[in-house]
Amino acid sequence: MQFQRTTLYKIFIGVFLVLQNFTLAEAADIESTIELDKSTNIVRVEGRFTADSRISNKKNLGFLAAASGISGLGKRVSELKLFGASGKPVAFRKLLDGEYLADSEFASWEYTVDLSANSNSIVAAHVSWLTDENGILMLDDLLPQFVAGKESVSASVTLSNRADWSAASGAEATGKSPLLLNDYRKGVIYVGKEIRNHQAVIKGRSVNLTFSGNWHFTDQEATAMTEQVIAKLAATFGSISDGGIRIGIFKFPIQVNPGSWEAETRGNSVTIISSDMPFRSQSLQRLHEQLRHELFHLWMPNGMLLTGNYAWFYEGFALYNSLKMAVELKRITFDDMLDTLSRAYQIDVRQKPRRPLVETSSNFVGRADTATYARGMLIAFLLDVELMRTSNGRSNIASMLGKIYSANRTIADGNTFVLNAIGENSVMSKYVKGVETIDTADIATQSGLVFENSDGFKILAKPNGRQREILSNLSYNTWRSSNRIKK
């Protein structure tokens, strides 16, 4: 499952596992070798069905057609050859770019893929690319799109790397020994001439980082940030995903403006593609923001057995959780939090016509829209306040997220499961299932935050005892010097 960044992150400037198992599968469905050309951006891929393969359709060969709203990925594939069980060539015809139909069943295949970087920077964290210095191999768009009923397709993948390059994936550096994946579509391999690997152990589980390029922050600072964020998230969700978390931090393969970034959490792999910020302090702040958001997705949705598109929840709540964590850890001020919530409200209130969040999320094509993420974040905030109010501070959004995560043990529709887990309340009925405009007067009554059109959310001049308690639980006291108290 892919999780794309949208313009919401650019608007909110300054503020912000089904698991991928790199384990030995008893019998992979396919075996494949990926060979990097010594001097070009071309890779050669060979593969075959194993004797134990569960793939029944052996006449169709197809490749991922689009990602992050960018189509035409099938055009990158060329020089395709198919072979039968005896090794003799099998004739085939091209149906369209990236889709082929063989005259008879094939047993093995070979082809090349042009991994020249796309001119659109949006796809850098979501699609394979290769330069003279480094690259990222997403097996979902490199290997054929085979299916085995409702089961994931396993693969044994061997990388034939350039002589002076190294590679990393999952818990280990990747050499000539096969990489075995229970679901190859979640496989990500980081390659490069001078990539650097670091490992942290958090609650007995390995967390691995791969860096490429020079940054205003050090590898050690990034590793320490990762440890801090994962420990905080583990306190919410109660566990750390196994199978080897790998975080890849790379520069864009094309020229982009300072401060640009794209990211994706795929299985247990977190890919952050970024340009550096002009100053060191800004770079540190931006990296912490990226880690807070993307590492959340190791648990939600990647650690859950949910289907369908319910991004209003896992993206909106990731945004709010990142925001609140940033205040708690003193990465941003309470002012910053209010500014971000104000921008989210201003985005949401402009939506005409208004539609239920479940509907807008289910109808995504490509990248989700900013308005859905904005309202999802506001829903998380409203639920946080409601939980704190009704429990006298004993419950909050973190405890709710932990319960939702723990409750999911079987495959289910994401929207249905989340709605049932949260339960019936005015927030869900009005703003998720319904189309009402968010009531800022009610927010003021509950939390002591009043909304003014010119300045956004401010703290009431004289919040009552219950409101002060909620503000404190929102980490206002962390930044007691806030100048937002209304005079």
Side-chain angles (χ1 to χ4, degrees), residues 55 323 431:
I55 298 167
L323 194 64
Y431 311 130

Side-chain angles (χ1 to χ4, degrees), residues 133-433:
E133 299 295 323
N134 54 31
I136 298 177
L137 308 179
M138 304 282 194
L139 299 186
D140 191 27
D141 64 67
L142 276 183
L143 301 187
Q145 297 282 294
F146 294 121
V147 296
K150 295 183 179 180
E151 302 296 323
S152 57
V153 178
S154 58
S156 170
V157 180
T158 301
L159 176 67
S160 178
N161 209 346
R162 293 175 178 172
D164 56 344
W165 282 29
S166 55
S169 183
E172 302 174 355
T174 301
K176 291 187 177 298
S177 58
L179 179 67
L180 296 152
L181 306 101
N182 289 340
D183 185 353
Y184 73 84
R185 293 186 181 181
K186 294 181 172 65
V188 181
I189 305 174
Y190 303 105
V191 298
K193 186 181 297 185
E194 296 180 352
I195 61 175
R196 309 178 302 279
N197 293 308
H198 292 262
Q199 183 180 75
V201 178
I202 306 173
K203 294 188 176 181
R205 302 289 175 86
S206 65
V207 179
N208 309 275
L209 294 94
T210 297
F211 300 90
S212 179
N214 297 317
W215 304 84
H216 287 320
F217 52 81
T218 67
D219 297 355
Q220 290 73 23
E221 287 172 322
T223 303
M225 281 187 186
T226 302
E227 292 175 337
Q228 181 188 51
V229 173
I230 288 184
K232 187 76 172 173
L233 290 167
T236 293
F237 296 108
S239 63
I240 297 175
S241 58
D242 202 358
I245 296 171
R246 173 71 60 176
I247 302 167
I249 302 178
F250 280 60
K251 298 286 183 70
F252 277 95
I254 61 173
Q255 288 294 321
V256 297
N257 294 326
S260 300
W261 66 284
E262 289 287 328
E264 176 181 307
T265 301
R266 182 178 298 196
N268 277 11
S269 298
V270 178
T271 301
I272 298 174
I273 309 295
S274 184
S275 59
D276 215 346
M277 300 290 281
F279 302 103
R280 171 178 159 78
S281 60
Q282 295 172 321
S283 293
L284 289 167
Q285 187 77 330
R286 176 54 58 86
L287 178 62
H288 203 279
E289 168 193 340
Q290 294 163 339
L291 292 170
R292 291 195 311 269
H293 186 96
E294 289 305 318
L295 292 172
F296 178 96
H297 289 316
L298 290 171
W299 286 271
M300 288 184 167
N302 292 21
M304 304 181 74
L305 302 173
L306 300 181
T307 62
N309 201 328
Y310 56 110
W312 68 269
F313 173 74
Y314 62 73
E315 289 291 1
F317 282 55
L319 286 168
Y320 180 70
N321 191 74
S322 170
L323 194 64
K324 191 174 181 183
M325 186 193 301
V327 179
E328 294 171 354
L329 297 177
K330 298 185 179 182
R331 303 300 308 192
I332 63 172
T333 68
F334 196 75
D335 278 3
D336 294 325
M337 180 176 182
L338 295 185
D339 286 341
T340 304
L341 292 172
S342 298
R343 290 187 176 94
Y345 176 78
Q346 290 162 347
I347 291 170
D348 182 61
V349 78
R350 291 196 298 266
Q351 296 310 299
K352 306 292 182 184
R354 297 183 69 81
R355 293 178 295 169
L357 268 183
V358 173
E359 177 185 325
T360 59
S361 193
S362 298
N363 292 334
F364 287 158
V365 177
R367 295 163 67 88
D369 62 17
T370 298
T372 298
Y373 286 3
R375 197 190 308 176
M377 183 174 67
L378 289 170
I379 297 304
F381 164 63
L382 295 173
L383 284 174
D384 197 15
V385 171
E386 176 70 9
L387 288 166
M388 289 187 288
R389 184 186 67 82
T390 57
S391 69
N392 292 320
R394 292 188 299 273
S395 180
N396 59 19
I397 197 69
S399 58
M400 187 193 76
L401 288 172
K403 290 177 181 177
I404 292 175
Y405 177 74
S406 298
N408 177 228
R409 288 294 176 264
T410 59
I411 296 174
D413 174 73
N415 284 303
T416 302
F417 181 86
V418 169
L419 292 175
N420 290 337
I422 294 176
E424 291 292 335
N425 57 56
S426 60
V427 173
M428 301 301 288
S429 61
K430 290 180 180 179
Y431 311 130
V432 178
K433 298 177 182 179

Side-chain angles (χ1 to χ4, degrees), residues 17-70:
L17 258 149
V18 185
L19 298 176
Q20 173 189 342
N21 293 320
F22 291 93
T23 57
L24 292 176
E26 290 185 2
D29 291 300
I30 64 172
E31 293 179 351
S32 188
T33 298
I34 302 173
E35 180 182 359
L36 275 62
D37 189 274
K38 295 179 175 60
S39 58
T40 71
N41 301 327
I42 303 295
V43 297
R44 178 169 295 280
V45 182
E46 297 180 357
R48 70 175 187 90
F49 298 116
T50 66
D52 298 306
S53 178
R54 297 164 298 165
I55 298 167
S56 58
N57 184 350
K58 298 179 179 179
K59 294 184 68 175
N60 289 89
L61 189 75
F63 296 87
L64 189 70
S68 299
I70 305 298

Side-chain angles (χ1 to χ4, degrees), residues 76-125:
R76 305 180 308 166
V77 178
S78 61
E79 299 182 34
L80 175 65
K81 296 178 182 179
L82 302 178
F83 305 93
S86 65
K88 293 182 178 180
V90 172
F92 63 90
R93 57 192 175 94
K94 180 178 178 180
L95 303 178
L96 47 87
D97 288 331
E99 292 288 341
Y100 306 90
L101 176 63
D103 290 350
S104 59
E105 288 193 346
F106 57 88
S108 61
W109 54 88
E110 64 180 54
Y111 54 87
T112 61
V113 187
D114 185 349
L115 296 188
S116 299
N118 195 294
S119 59
N120 191 332
S121 63
I122 288 174
V123 301

